Amino acid sequence: MTTNPTQFLERRLGPFDAAAIIVANVIGGGILFRSPAVAAAVPDAPWFLLSWLAGGLLAFMGAMAYAELATLRPKAGGEYVYLREAYGGLAGFLTGWTSFVAGFSGAMAASAVFLVTTLDRFVPGVANATPLLAVPVPFTPMVFSFSTHTLTACAVIAAAAFIHIRGVGPGRVASNVLTTLKITAFVVFIAFGLTAGTGETSNLTQSAGPVTATGWPFAFIPVMFTYSGWNAAAYMAEEIRDPGRNVPRALFLGTAVVTIVYLLINVLYLYVIPIDKLAAVQGSVLDVVAEGLLGARAGDIMAVVAIVSLAAGINAWTFAGPRVYFAMARDNAFFKSAARVHPTYKTPKAVTAMFSTRC
């Protein structure tokens, strides 16, 4: 492995900056849609909440393990670096390319599509899926179609890439602002919902069925899916000041905030919707709760929350994801140009642009 001075990133992030990336990366659509599946597997309110607490504890244990790894290997790339060091280049190569092809890219593309769909409530026509141009893929039945919807989604991703190419400073500000707005929206909504007097505290102890030896473990599948992303700060370890101290702090703080928000939002769900009815909810639980609390205004309010939440996630993935491929490129396991650092902005410009184009 060979590196040169133009292949290193500057340490300009603090623990709160890194924690904000974790929170933005984790809290997304999962908490809006996965609670009914958990309630169906665990139809008992206390055990339902215990599932979310246990998921947070597991995420916390994983975060502390990553904190140790990031302290030992304070480089960009996260698990790519750790697997490469532990099991050799092939393991790192496979996990890195899997992330590039499906991991970060798929999540970003899906979130951008959902963001535009939600934005259509306020800007009618922006989610129009009528193809403006269709390009068939030779020798396959696939067709690449370009519509107002897809072009707007691409523009959202391109905007996030532009911010992060321009420097860690603008990227940090965007991340912190969007994450603060996201957490504030959730906290205000939870506080309002629990004090509005439209729910029943008895719902928090209600049981609609037995908790079985298979049901509770199965509940962890949607729970841990919803907690995924707690390791985001590890991808940025090379850019965090004093990583031996601040990476563990960021992982601890970010995971703790996510766990608290998840527990409180699920308490609100149960407060408004009994466990048996929660298990039967289709679509976004937050929309159902909001409609019960706010009536006709709920749709627009929840749409704004969803747009901010999705934008924060896209921003976090654009911040963290390219660092994996940047690290791979330094090891000659990715396109060599991806290892270049912009001489002025000190960001991995080439790989960030490539990453956004792939999405």
Side-chain angles (χ1 to χ4, degrees):
M1 179 179 66
T2 60
T3 56
N4 61 62
T6 64
Q7 293 180 321
F8 290 97
L9 302 172
E10 294 185 349
R11 298 192 183 280
R12 292 190 283 176
L13 298 176
F16 293 103
D17 302 321
I21 295 170
I22 293 174
V23 174
N25 194 44
V26 177
I27 300 180
I31 194 59
L32 308 182
F33 299 99
R34 300 293 172 177
S35 289
V38 180
V42 186
D44 180 274
W47 279 92
F48 169 83
L49 293 175
L50 185 61
S51 299
W52 289 100
L53 176 60
L57 291 175
L58 285 173
F60 175 78
M61 289 188 285
M64 292 302 96
Y66 261 62
E68 183 69 20
L69 291 168
T71 299
L72 293 172
R73 297 285 186 273
K75 298 294 184 182
E79 63 265 10
Y80 162 74
V81 174
Y82 312 147
L83 289 172
R84 182 199 67 200
E85 292 295 321
Y87 301 110
L90 179 60
F93 177 87
L94 292 175
T95 190
W97 275 96
T98 300
S99 171
F100 181 73
V101 172
F104 281 106
S105 302
M108 282 184 62
S111 293
V113 168
F114 289 137
L115 187 153
V116 175
T117 300
T118 308
L119 184 64
D120 192 71
R121 176 187 289 266
F122 306 107
V123 187
V126 74
N128 188 336
T130 303
L132 301 173
L133 175 66
V135 180
V137 180
F139 311 111
T140 74
M142 297 176 57
V143 176
F144 285 122
S145 63
F146 298 88
S147 64
T148 303
H149 193 162
T150 56
L151 291 175
T152 307
C154 290
V156 171
I157 294 173
F162 176 78
I163 291 171
H164 290 288
I165 286 172
R166 296 287 294 182
V168 172
R172 177 180 58 198
V173 170
S175 177
N176 292 347
V177 169
L178 287 170
T179 302
T180 300
L181 289 173
K182 174 190 281 194
I183 294 301
T184 301
F186 273 104
V187 169
V188 169
F189 185 75
I190 291 168
F192 173 78
L194 293 177
T195 57
T198 58
E200 296 288 342
T201 56
S202 60
N203 291 347
L204 302 177
T205 58
Q206 185 185 77
S207 177
V211 177
T212 65
T214 56
W216 202 57
F218 271 113
F220 277 92
I221 297 174
V223 167
M224 296 315 299
F225 174 86
T226 309
Y227 273 104
S228 62
W230 47 261
N231 57 341
Y235 298 115
M236 317 291 295
E238 189 167 318
E239 293 163 274
I240 297 175
R241 297 187 299 270
D242 191 3
R245 173 180 295 183
N246 289 331
V247 172
R249 286 179 175 178
L251 288 163
F252 173 83
L253 180 60
T255 307
V257 169
V258 169
T259 302
I260 292 169
V261 170
Y262 278 3
L263 277 174
L264 289 177
I265 197 67
N266 279 291
V267 166
L268 176 61
Y269 288 166
L270 288 177
Y271 179 67
V272 178
I273 309 172
I275 188 75
D276 55 337
K277 294 183 179 179
L278 176 60
V281 170
Q282 301 291 324
S284 171
V285 185
L286 202 61
D287 286 351
V288 176
V289 172
E291 186 175 351
L293 295 172
L294 304 171
R297 296 174 298 169
D300 289 345
I301 294 174
M302 287 302 99
V304 172
V305 173
I307 289 171
V308 172
S309 182
L310 291 166
I314 292 168
N315 179 77
W317 293 321
T318 308
F319 211 162
R323 272 63 183 176
V324 179
Y325 323 120
F326 171 78
M328 292 174 65
R330 289 196 300 200
D331 295 345
N332 297 317
F334 199 75
F335 302 109
K336 192 172 182 179
S337 62
R340 290 201 299 265
V341 176
H342 194 283
T344 302
Y345 305 135
K346 306 302 181 183
T347 57
K349 175 184 177 181
V351 73
T352 301
M354 187 187 305
F355 177 67
S356 63
T357 304
R358 172 66 185 86
C359 296

